[in-house]
Amino acid sequence: MLNFDKLDKAIHEKGRLAIMTLLAARPSWPFQDLKAELGMSDGNLITHLRTLHKLGFVAVTKEVRVRPQTSYSLTAKGRGAFKDYLDVLDQIVRTVKK
Amino acid sequence: MNDERSKAEEHLRVIRSLMERATIYRAISAPTALVAGLLSIFAGGAIFLNNETGFNIGVQITSREFAFVWLVVLLISLMANAFFIRREALRTGRPFISPAMKLALRAIAPCLLIPLSVTVWFLQTGYLGNQELFLVAVCTGFYGLALLSTNLFAPRSLALLGWAFLLTSVAIPVLDRAIETDFSADTPDLAMGVTFGLYHLIYAACTWSGRGVLFSEKSAAE
């Protein structure tokens, strides 16, 4: 029996799902690169990243090289949550196929 | 239930597409390879015909002119690549210099330093010693290494192209000594025509439809 409540609602939102996917693909993403890749506005992207950061899914690194740069990466908790989310999605597809 | 399934499938499609965009970058598109391949075949063929047959401009192509011809081919191919990348960026609404492109350029740049310095040396003094074959071996070898440097995020077809260039650069000096033909003086030109011409055309043909259907387009990082 499937339990759709298992789907993490924080990740299930389209924008945050895209962010989590990109963060899972590479060790770290500068804010500007994330913005360019996703085509989101600054405000929208910051809001989603704050939500994920509050949940402990995303780590923030602030560096000052030539100019200040903020990078984002997945925490171990975030990676685990993303994996669980994928497993549930996979389970839904498989179960309904039967 | 079916609604949940289609939603789940849609989410998985989005995830897969984003993952591929973030982890796979094709530094050379099929149209660019086609342009580079055709130009190289044309340039190599023109030099060969000029030096070996009656279709000529009356004088042999000198070492320096040989290098200039191939620099022009490189320049036009780079411009074509920029054009195709920009067209694709406009079509998909993504930036011309994408994060993946920056990543690829950072990987490729160190591999281009030696061929660049050898080319400058060749144009200054190297041409006096008829070192075309050395120049060709360096350019093909480091071009192959440049393609292989993107191996972690490039499709498999690009890595195969890199290996083809690298192995050919190793074989060029060996084959040149082993095989004596009437066209030995044209070995550098023929080597450029075969590698930059023929290899690029094969790559373009294999990746044109479906962007790499003939190969398993899987990131090596997976």
Side-chain angles (χ1 to χ4, degrees), chain B residues 51-126:
Chain B
N51 290 349
E52 300 295 337
T53 70
F55 301 99
N56 56 48
I57 54 172
V59 287
Q60 292 271 311
I61 299 289
T62 65
S63 299
R64 241 180 172 180
E65 286 162 351
F66 168 82
F68 275 122
V69 167
W70 286 104
L71 278 176
V72 170
V73 170
L74 171 71
L75 200 67
I76 298 174
S77 301
L78 286 175
M79 283 162 61
N81 199 24
F83 168 78
F84 290 125
I85 291 172
R86 187 170 178 274
R87 194 180 64 169
E88 183 66 13
L90 286 174
R91 194 181 65 81
T92 55
R94 297 172 70 202
F96 172 61
I97 300 174
S98 65
M101 187 204 222
K102 282 191 233 168
L103 201 66
L105 288 174
R106 275 201 294 268
I108 288 170
C111 301
L112 300 181
L113 283 177
I114 290 177
L116 189 71
S117 61
V118 169
T119 305
V120 171
W121 161 79
F122 183 86
L123 289 171
Q124 285 178 337
T125 56

Side-chain angles (χ1 to χ4, degrees), chain A residues 2 5 22 30 35 38 45 50 55 63 91 94 97:
Chain A
L2 278 172
D5 292 338
L22 289 185
K35 189 184 151 195
L38 295 167
L45 184 56
R50 274 191 195 141
L55 290 164
E63 287 174 305
Q91 209 185 337
R94 281 169 198 272
K97 251 181 190 174

Side-chain angles (χ1 to χ4, degrees), chain B:
Chain B
M1 200 69 166
N2 275 327
D3 190 40
E4 285 299 333
R5 181 190 158 186
S6 60
K7 269 186 193 169
E9 282 179 338
E10 177 58 24
H11 274 76
L12 284 171
R13 260 196 299 275
V14 170
I15 291 166
R16 187 181 169 186
S17 150
L18 277 168
M19 279 273 188
E20 283 181 352
R21 254 169 54 183
T23 56
I24 297 178
Y25 182 72
R26 186 184 291 279
I28 301 173
S29 65
T32 302
L34 181 69
V35 171
L38 289 176
L39 275 175
S40 301
I41 295 274
F42 177 76
I47 294 174
F48 182 79
L49 287 176
N50 181 73
N51 290 349
E52 300 295 337
T53 70
F55 301 99
N56 56 48
I57 54 172
V59 287
Q60 292 271 311
I61 299 289
T62 65
S63 299
R64 241 180 172 180
E65 286 162 351
F66 168 82
F68 275 122
V69 167
W70 286 104
L71 278 176
V72 170
V73 170
L74 171 71
L75 200 67
I76 298 174
S77 301
L78 286 175
M79 283 162 61
N81 199 24
F83 168 78
F84 290 125
I85 291 172
R86 187 170 178 274
R87 194 180 64 169
E88 183 66 13
L90 286 174
R91 194 181 65 81
T92 55
R94 297 172 70 202
F96 172 61
I97 300 174
S98 65
M101 187 204 222
K102 282 191 233 168
L103 201 66
L105 288 174
R106 275 201 294 268
I108 288 170
C111 301
L112 300 181
L113 283 177
I114 290 177
L116 189 71
S117 61
V118 169
T119 305
V120 171
W121 161 79
F122 183 86
L123 289 171
Q124 285 178 337
T125 56
Y127 71 95
L128 295 169
N130 285 325
Q131 298 285 346
E132 292 104 318
L133 200 63
F134 173 65
L135 179 69
V136 170
V138 168
C139 288
T140 49
F142 278 90
Y143 181 67
L145 281 177
L147 296 180
L148 285 171
S149 71
T150 65
N151 206 9
L152 284 176
F153 47 88
R156 202 172 158 204
S157 48
L158 206 66
L160 288 174
L161 184 67
W163 274 113
F165 270 94
L166 188 59
L167 294 176
T168 307
S169 80
V170 176
I172 285 172
V174 179
L175 289 178
D176 183 54
R177 286 185 188 179
I179 306 167
E180 280 289 324
T181 67
D182 293 341
F183 308 120
S184 289
D186 293 301
T187 305
D189 177 52
L190 292 173
M192 288 297 278
V194 168
T195 53
F196 287 92
L198 198 61
Y199 289 3
H200 276 136
L201 286 183
I202 293 171
Y203 171 83
C206 292
T207 56
W208 194 274
S209 59
R211 298 289 181 269
V213 170
L214 293 182
F215 296 97
S216 165
E217 296 291 7
K218 217 173 167 190
S219 166
E222 285 175 343

